[in-house]
Amino acid sequence: MTHDAMSHKMIRWTAALGAVVVAVGLAGCGGTDESAGASSTAATPSGVSMVSPPPSADTATTIDITIANGTVTPRNARIEATVGTPIVLYVTSDAADEVHVHSTPEHSFEVTAGAQRERFEFTVTVPGSVAIELHEADVTVATLQVR
């Protein structure tokens, strides 16, 4: 084999190897858009990717709140919750109000008069007792015991 033929073969081999390296690198960058509810990936120490599914409705803590004729249900409920697990409030109300969640960070949600199962979702990132209150009704709906 001539020197020119060997150089040409080496250049082709180097280009092919470079293409493989780029393809592998791009495959590793194929993240997901978590804001769209897609699953997330995490690499293990061995470099193998593990996919974790997005939170589903059956893993969320749900609370149904009713405001009717000035009466709020529930009142002063004690509910267990987990750090990072979604909390979903379903509010049915005949009056406008504001749900205030005393967590870190705090959350506030405007309740519409005539709402039928209006949905509000949040997560708690700091463990402890978290009060959920209605401001206009001046009622503590529930206290979450977040662990």
PDB file of all heavy atoms in Angstrom, residues 3 8 12 21 28 31 33 35-36 47 52 55 72 77 79 81 88 92 96 102 108 111 116 126 131 142:
ATOM      1  N   HIS A   3       1.983   5.220   0.483  1.00  0.00           N
ATOM      2  CA  HIS A   3       1.840   6.165   1.591  1.00  0.00           C
ATOM      3  C   HIS A   3       0.570   7.001   1.425  1.00  0.00           C
ATOM      4  O   HIS A   3      -0.142   7.268   2.386  1.00  0.00           O
ATOM      5  CB  HIS A   3       3.084   7.052   1.686  1.00  0.00           C
ATOM      6  CG  HIS A   3       3.018   8.063   2.803  1.00  0.00           C
ATOM      7  ND1 HIS A   3       3.016   7.692   4.118  1.00  0.00           N
ATOM      8  CD2 HIS A   3       2.951   9.420   2.772  1.00  0.00           C
ATOM      9  CE1 HIS A   3       2.932   8.777   4.869  1.00  0.00           C
ATOM     10  NE2 HIS A   3       2.900   9.840   4.055  1.00  0.00           N
ATOM     11  N   HIS A   8      -4.971   8.314   3.104  1.00  0.00           N
ATOM     12  CA  HIS A   8      -6.384   8.465   2.751  1.00  0.00           C
ATOM     13  C   HIS A   8      -7.259   7.544   3.618  1.00  0.00           C
ATOM     14  O   HIS A   8      -8.310   7.929   4.114  1.00  0.00           O
ATOM     15  CB  HIS A   8      -6.583   8.170   1.259  1.00  0.00           C
ATOM     16  CG  HIS A   8      -7.959   8.448   0.779  1.00  0.00           C
ATOM     17  ND1 HIS A   8      -8.483   9.713   0.729  1.00  0.00           N
ATOM     18  CD2 HIS A   8      -8.937   7.598   0.336  1.00  0.00           C
ATOM     19  CE1 HIS A   8      -9.717   9.651   0.287  1.00  0.00           C
ATOM     20  NE2 HIS A   8     -10.013   8.377   0.046  1.00  0.00           N
ATOM     21  N   ARG A  12     -10.188   8.623   6.421  1.00  0.00           N
ATOM     22  CA  ARG A  12     -11.565   8.094   6.419  1.00  0.00           C
ATOM     23  C   ARG A  12     -11.893   7.461   7.769  1.00  0.00           C
ATOM     24  O   ARG A  12     -12.971   7.643   8.318  1.00  0.00           O
ATOM     25  CB  ARG A  12     -11.740   7.064   5.295  1.00  0.00           C
ATOM     26  CG  ARG A  12     -11.878   7.691   3.937  1.00  0.00           C
ATOM     27  CD  ARG A  12     -12.380   6.715   2.898  1.00  0.00           C
ATOM     28  NE  ARG A  12     -11.976   5.348   3.140  1.00  0.00           N
ATOM     29  CZ  ARG A  12     -11.406   4.548   2.261  1.00  0.00           C
ATOM     30  NH1 ARG A  12     -11.176   4.978   1.056  1.00  0.00           N
ATOM     31  NH2 ARG A  12     -11.075   3.328   2.574  1.00  0.00           N
ATOM     32  N   VAL A  21     -18.362   9.443  17.666  1.00  0.00           N
ATOM     33  CA  VAL A  21     -18.235  10.202  18.913  1.00  0.00           C
ATOM     34  C   VAL A  21     -19.296  11.296  18.986  1.00  0.00           C
ATOM     35  O   VAL A  21     -19.952  11.487  20.001  1.00  0.00           O
ATOM     36  CB  VAL A  21     -16.805  10.789  19.056  1.00  0.00           C
ATOM     37  CG1 VAL A  21     -16.740  11.797  20.187  1.00  0.00           C
ATOM     38  CG2 VAL A  21     -15.806   9.672  19.260  1.00  0.00           C
ATOM     39  N   GLY A  28     -26.570  11.441  24.226  1.00  0.00           N
ATOM     40  CA  GLY A  28     -26.531  11.705  25.656  1.00  0.00           C
ATOM     41  C   GLY A  28     -27.161  13.025  26.033  1.00  0.00           C
ATOM     42  O   GLY A  28     -27.547  13.247  27.158  1.00  0.00           O
ATOM     43  N   GLY A  31     -32.242  15.279  26.346  1.00  0.00           N
ATOM     44  CA  GLY A  31     -33.082  15.464  27.529  1.00  0.00           C
ATOM     45  C   GLY A  31     -34.543  15.591  27.150  1.00  0.00           C
ATOM     46  O   GLY A  31     -34.919  15.569  25.983  1.00  0.00           O
ATOM     47  N   ASP A  33     -38.400  17.668  27.981  1.00  0.00           N
ATOM     48  CA  ASP A  33     -39.003  18.915  28.440  1.00  0.00           C
ATOM     49  C   ASP A  33     -39.911  18.596  29.612  1.00  0.00           C
ATOM     50  O   ASP A  33     -41.044  18.204  29.441  1.00  0.00           O
ATOM     51  CB  ASP A  33     -39.795  19.550  27.286  1.00  0.00           C
ATOM     52  CG  ASP A  33     -40.418  20.872  27.693  1.00  0.00           C
ATOM     53  OD1 ASP A  33     -40.207  21.295  28.851  1.00  0.00           O
ATOM     54  OD2 ASP A  33     -41.105  21.475  26.859  1.00  0.00           O
ATOM     55  N   SER A  35     -41.313  20.550  31.683  1.00  0.00           N
ATOM     56  CA  SER A  35     -42.442  21.458  31.841  1.00  0.00           C
ATOM     57  C   SER A  35     -43.664  20.949  31.104  1.00  0.00           C
ATOM     58  O   SER A  35     -44.774  21.339  31.399  1.00  0.00           O
ATOM     59  CB  SER A  35     -42.075  22.857  31.350  1.00  0.00           C
ATOM     60  OG  SER A  35     -41.852  22.839  29.950  1.00  0.00           O
ATOM     61  N   ALA A  36     -43.482  20.064  30.141  1.00  0.00           N
ATOM     62  CA  ALA A  36     -44.617  19.518  29.399  1.00  0.00           C
ATOM     63  C   ALA A  36     -45.118  18.242  30.046  1.00  0.00           C
ATOM     64  O   ALA A  36     -45.940  17.543  29.475  1.00  0.00           O
ATOM     65  CB  ALA A  36     -44.214  19.261  27.948  1.00  0.00           C
ATOM     66  N   GLY A  47     -23.224   5.446  34.405  1.00  0.00           N
ATOM     67  CA  GLY A  47     -23.527   6.117  33.158  1.00  0.00           C
ATOM     68  C   GLY A  47     -24.811   5.649  32.497  1.00  0.00           C
ATOM     69  O   GLY A  47     -25.192   6.165  31.467  1.00  0.00           O
ATOM     70  N   SER A  52     -37.540   8.291  35.185  1.00  0.00           N
ATOM     71  CA  SER A  52     -38.557   8.307  36.237  1.00  0.00           C
ATOM     72  C   SER A  52     -39.812   8.929  35.655  1.00  0.00           C
ATOM     73  O   SER A  52     -39.744   9.962  35.000  1.00  0.00           O
ATOM     74  CB  SER A  52     -38.074   9.084  37.455  1.00  0.00           C
ATOM     75  OG  SER A  52     -37.762  10.398  37.099  1.00  0.00           O
ATOM     76  N   PRO A  55     -45.141  12.644  38.031  1.00  0.00           N
ATOM     77  CA  PRO A  55     -46.089  12.311  39.079  1.00  0.00           C
ATOM     78  C   PRO A  55     -47.474  12.071  38.478  1.00  0.00           C
ATOM     79  O   PRO A  55     -47.906  12.786  37.592  1.00  0.00           O
ATOM     80  CB  PRO A  55     -46.118  13.542  39.982  1.00  0.00           C
ATOM     81  CG  PRO A  55     -45.000  14.404  39.542  1.00  0.00           C
ATOM     82  CD  PRO A  55     -44.560  13.949  38.196  1.00  0.00           C
ATOM     83  N   VAL A  72     -67.737  26.210  55.051  1.00  0.00           N
ATOM     84  CA  VAL A  72     -66.547  25.646  54.405  1.00  0.00           C
ATOM     85  C   VAL A  72     -66.346  24.219  54.894  1.00  0.00           C
ATOM     86  O   VAL A  72     -66.396  23.947  56.086  1.00  0.00           O
ATOM     87  CB  VAL A  72     -65.296  26.486  54.739  1.00  0.00           C
ATOM     88  CG1 VAL A  72     -64.047  25.853  54.144  1.00  0.00           C
ATOM     89  CG2 VAL A  72     -65.468  27.921  54.257  1.00  0.00           C
ATOM     90  N   ALA A  77     -58.896  20.291  59.101  1.00  0.00           N
ATOM     91  CA  ALA A  77     -58.498  18.898  58.842  1.00  0.00           C
ATOM     92  C   ALA A  77     -56.989  18.759  59.027  1.00  0.00           C
ATOM     93  O   ALA A  77     -56.233  19.713  58.826  1.00  0.00           O
ATOM     94  CB  ALA A  77     -58.899  18.504  57.426  1.00  0.00           C
ATOM     95  N   ILE A  79     -53.883  16.570  57.573  1.00  0.00           N
ATOM     96  CA  ILE A  79     -53.606  15.721  56.418  1.00  0.00           C
ATOM     97  C   ILE A  79     -52.109  15.480  56.311  1.00  0.00           C
ATOM     98  O   ILE A  79     -51.307  16.414  56.406  1.00  0.00           O
ATOM     99  CB  ILE A  79     -54.144  16.382  55.128  1.00  0.00           C
ATOM    100  CG1 ILE A  79     -55.662  16.559  55.245  1.00  0.00           C
ATOM    101  CG2 ILE A  79     -53.771  15.569  53.893  1.00  0.00           C
ATOM    102  CD1 ILE A  79     -56.285  17.390  54.158  1.00  0.00           C
ATOM    103  N   ALA A  81     -48.727  14.630  54.245  1.00  0.00           N
ATOM    104  CA  ALA A  81     -48.224  14.867  52.896  1.00  0.00           C
ATOM    105  C   ALA A  81     -46.721  14.613  52.880  1.00  0.00           C
ATOM    106  O   ALA A  81     -46.093  14.490  53.929  1.00  0.00           O
ATOM    107  CB  ALA A  81     -48.531  16.295  52.466  1.00  0.00           C
ATOM    108  N   VAL A  88     -52.994  18.628  45.358  1.00  0.00           N
ATOM    109  CA  VAL A  88     -53.996  19.132  44.428  1.00  0.00           C
ATOM    110  C   VAL A  88     -55.243  19.504  45.217  1.00  0.00           C
ATOM    111  O   VAL A  88     -55.786  18.677  45.959  1.00  0.00           O
ATOM    112  CB  VAL A  88     -54.339  18.098  43.337  1.00  0.00           C
ATOM    113  CG1 VAL A  88     -55.399  18.649  42.393  1.00  0.00           C
ATOM    114  CG2 VAL A  88     -53.083  17.704  42.558  1.00  0.00           C
ATOM    115  N   THR A  92     -64.932  23.786  44.982  1.00  0.00           N
ATOM    116  CA  THR A  92     -66.266  24.104  44.488  1.00  0.00           C
ATOM    117  C   THR A  92     -66.782  25.205  45.399  1.00  0.00           C
ATOM    118  O   THR A  92     -66.798  25.036  46.620  1.00  0.00           O
ATOM    119  CB  THR A  92     -67.185  22.866  44.547  1.00  0.00           C
ATOM    120  OG1 THR A  92     -66.611  21.846  43.716  1.00  0.00           O
ATOM    121  CG2 THR A  92     -68.585  23.191  44.060  1.00  0.00           C
ATOM    122  N   ALA A  96     -66.489  34.070  45.679  1.00  0.00           N
ATOM    123  CA  ALA A  96     -65.074  34.301  45.376  1.00  0.00           C
ATOM    124  C   ALA A  96     -64.289  34.305  46.689  1.00  0.00           C
ATOM    125  O   ALA A  96     -64.782  34.740  47.727  1.00  0.00           O
ATOM    126  CB  ALA A  96     -64.905  35.636  44.651  1.00  0.00           C
ATOM    127  N   HIS A 102     -49.576  28.459  53.494  1.00  0.00           N
ATOM    128  CA  HIS A 102     -48.459  29.001  54.276  1.00  0.00           C
ATOM    129  C   HIS A 102     -47.297  28.018  54.277  1.00  0.00           C
ATOM    130  O   HIS A 102     -46.999  27.375  55.279  1.00  0.00           O
ATOM    131  CB  HIS A 102     -48.910  29.307  55.709  1.00  0.00           C
ATOM    132  CG  HIS A 102     -49.876  30.435  55.784  1.00  0.00           C
ATOM    133  ND1 HIS A 102     -49.484  31.753  55.813  1.00  0.00           N
ATOM    134  CD2 HIS A 102     -51.231  30.440  55.809  1.00  0.00           C
ATOM    135  CE1 HIS A 102     -50.553  32.525  55.868  1.00  0.00           C
ATOM    136  NE2 HIS A 102     -51.634  31.751  55.861  1.00  0.00           N
ATOM    137  N   SER A 108     -50.699  31.227  46.577  1.00  0.00           N
ATOM    138  CA  SER A 108     -52.029  31.827  46.665  1.00  0.00           C
ATOM    139  C   SER A 108     -52.782  31.508  45.383  1.00  0.00           C
ATOM    140  O   SER A 108     -52.206  31.551  44.292  1.00  0.00           O
ATOM    141  CB  SER A 108     -51.951  33.343  46.818  1.00  0.00           C
ATOM    142  OG  SER A 108     -51.373  33.678  48.059  1.00  0.00           O
ATOM    143  N   VAL A 111     -60.058  31.902  43.933  1.00  0.00           N
ATOM    144  CA  VAL A 111     -61.222  31.041  43.727  1.00  0.00           C
ATOM    145  C   VAL A 111     -62.321  31.873  43.069  1.00  0.00           C
ATOM    146  O   VAL A 111     -62.641  32.964  43.532  1.00  0.00           O
ATOM    147  CB  VAL A 111     -61.733  30.462  45.072  1.00  0.00           C
ATOM    148  CG1 VAL A 111     -62.994  29.635  44.865  1.00  0.00           C
ATOM    149  CG2 VAL A 111     -60.635  29.646  45.743  1.00  0.00           C
ATOM    150  N   GLN A 116     -66.771  25.125  39.868  1.00  0.00           N
ATOM    151  CA  GLN A 116     -67.100  23.707  40.023  1.00  0.00           C
ATOM    152  C   GLN A 116     -65.812  22.905  39.880  1.00  0.00           C
ATOM    153  O   GLN A 116     -65.292  22.757  38.786  1.00  0.00           O
ATOM    154  CB  GLN A 116     -68.108  23.266  38.950  1.00  0.00           C
ATOM    155  CG  GLN A 116     -69.453  23.951  39.049  1.00  0.00           C
ATOM    156  CD  GLN A 116     -70.162  23.621  40.351  1.00  0.00           C
ATOM    157  OE1 GLN A 116     -70.230  22.460  40.762  1.00  0.00           O
ATOM    158  NE2 GLN A 116     -70.669  24.645  41.010  1.00  0.00           N
ATOM    159  N   VAL A 126     -40.320  22.111  51.864  1.00  0.00           N
ATOM    160  CA  VAL A 126     -39.739  22.166  53.211  1.00  0.00           C
ATOM    161  C   VAL A 126     -40.671  21.423  54.168  1.00  0.00           C
ATOM    162  O   VAL A 126     -41.859  21.746  54.251  1.00  0.00           O
ATOM    163  CB  VAL A 126     -39.563  23.635  53.672  1.00  0.00           C
ATOM    164  CG1 VAL A 126     -39.000  23.701  55.078  1.00  0.00           C
ATOM    165  CG2 VAL A 126     -38.662  24.399  52.702  1.00  0.00           C
ATOM    166  N   ALA A 131     -50.306  25.394  56.798  1.00  0.00           N
ATOM    167  CA  ALA A 131     -51.734  25.731  56.882  1.00  0.00           C
ATOM    168  C   ALA A 131     -52.256  26.115  55.501  1.00  0.00           C
ATOM    169  O   ALA A 131     -51.592  26.816  54.743  1.00  0.00           O
ATOM    170  CB  ALA A 131     -51.948  26.882  57.850  1.00  0.00           C
ATOM    171  N   ALA A 142     -57.252  23.183  56.232  1.00  0.00           N
ATOM    172  CA  ALA A 142     -56.476  22.009  56.638  1.00  0.00           C
ATOM    173  C   ALA A 142     -55.079  22.439  57.034  1.00  0.00           C
ATOM    174  O   ALA A 142     -54.596  23.500  56.644  1.00  0.00           O
ATOM    175  CB  ALA A 142     -56.399  21.005  55.492  1.00  0.00           C
TER     176      ALA A 142
END
